[in-house]
Amino acid sequence: MKGSCLCGDVRFEVSLERLGMFQCHCQLCRKQAGTASSCGAIVETCDFHWLSGESRIGKWEKESGFSSHFCKRCGSSVPNQFRDSGLYWIPVGLLDDSTMVTVANLFVDEKVSWSNVDSSVNPHQTKPRVDSLIRSVLKENH
């Protein structure tokens, strides 16, 4: 699976046929994505490869540790290393052609009333244990 930012400067490839993804409905993710929820996947470093534009990536971080990585030219959210773990978080909307399986919905308590996004798959009222979320996402990737 190949993906890119809006302008095409940042390009990457994921060497998997399908991805487990989660939808986050928290206010921070909504503001970052500009949508009702943020859809992301987590992949192991060995399954992720930069094709171009890694030097074109900017980063903004809150004191809490929440960060936003983006293309400096077009502003698209881009993949980034997930908590210095050897895993990458990927905004799945960047993928050109992909097969997704939703494995979890996070912060369902913060879902906005106007959202029509189906949050019934494995709903978590707030943030689940990170290790549990990672295991469930990676399980669907293979």
Side-chain angles (χ1 to χ4, degrees):
M1 288 177 225
K2 291 186 180 181
S4 64
C5 65
L6 187 60
C7 71
D9 279 1
V10 178
R11 296 180 180 277
F12 62 94
E13 183 173 40
V14 175
S15 57
L16 297 167
E17 292 185 23
R18 75 182 212 160
L19 292 175
M21 67 166 229
F22 59 91
Q23 299 178 116
C24 186
H25 304 272
C26 81
Q27 183 182 40
L28 291 173
C29 285
R30 287 196 318 269
K31 287 185 178 277
Q32 177 194 32
T35 63
S37 66
S38 172
C39 298
I42 298 170
V43 300
E44 296 176 274
T45 302
C46 62
D47 294 319
F48 180 85
H49 309 282
W50 291 110
L51 299 176
S52 66
E54 195 173 357
S55 65
R56 304 274 308 158
I57 296 173
K59 176 183 177 183
W60 177 81
E61 188 169 348
K62 287 181 70 75
E63 287 181 21
S64 66
F66 179 90
S67 63
S68 177
H69 294 73
F70 52 90
C71 171
K72 292 178 186 177
R73 183 172 178 208
C74 68
S76 292
S77 290
V78 295
N80 58 81
Q81 201 164 34
F82 185 73
R83 298 184 177 198
D84 302 317
S85 64
L87 301 170
Y88 272 86
W89 173 78
I90 299 172
V92 297
L94 299 182
L95 294 165
D96 299 326
D97 185 24
S98 58
T99 301
M100 298 290 160
V101 176
T102 302
V103 297
N105 279 270
L106 316 180
F107 290 93
V108 175
D109 278 356
E110 293 185 38
K111 182 178 175 180
V112 290
S113 61
W114 48 263
S115 174
N116 292 322
V117 174
D118 179 6
S119 59
S120 65
V121 176
N122 193 14
H124 297 271
Q125 302 312 310
T126 58
K127 180 174 127 183
R129 288 180 37 138
V130 173
D131 59 335
S132 173
L133 175 64
I134 290 170
R135 275 195 311 274
S136 64
V137 171
L138 292 178
K139 178 182 170 186
E140 288 298 329
N141 290 354
H142 296 285

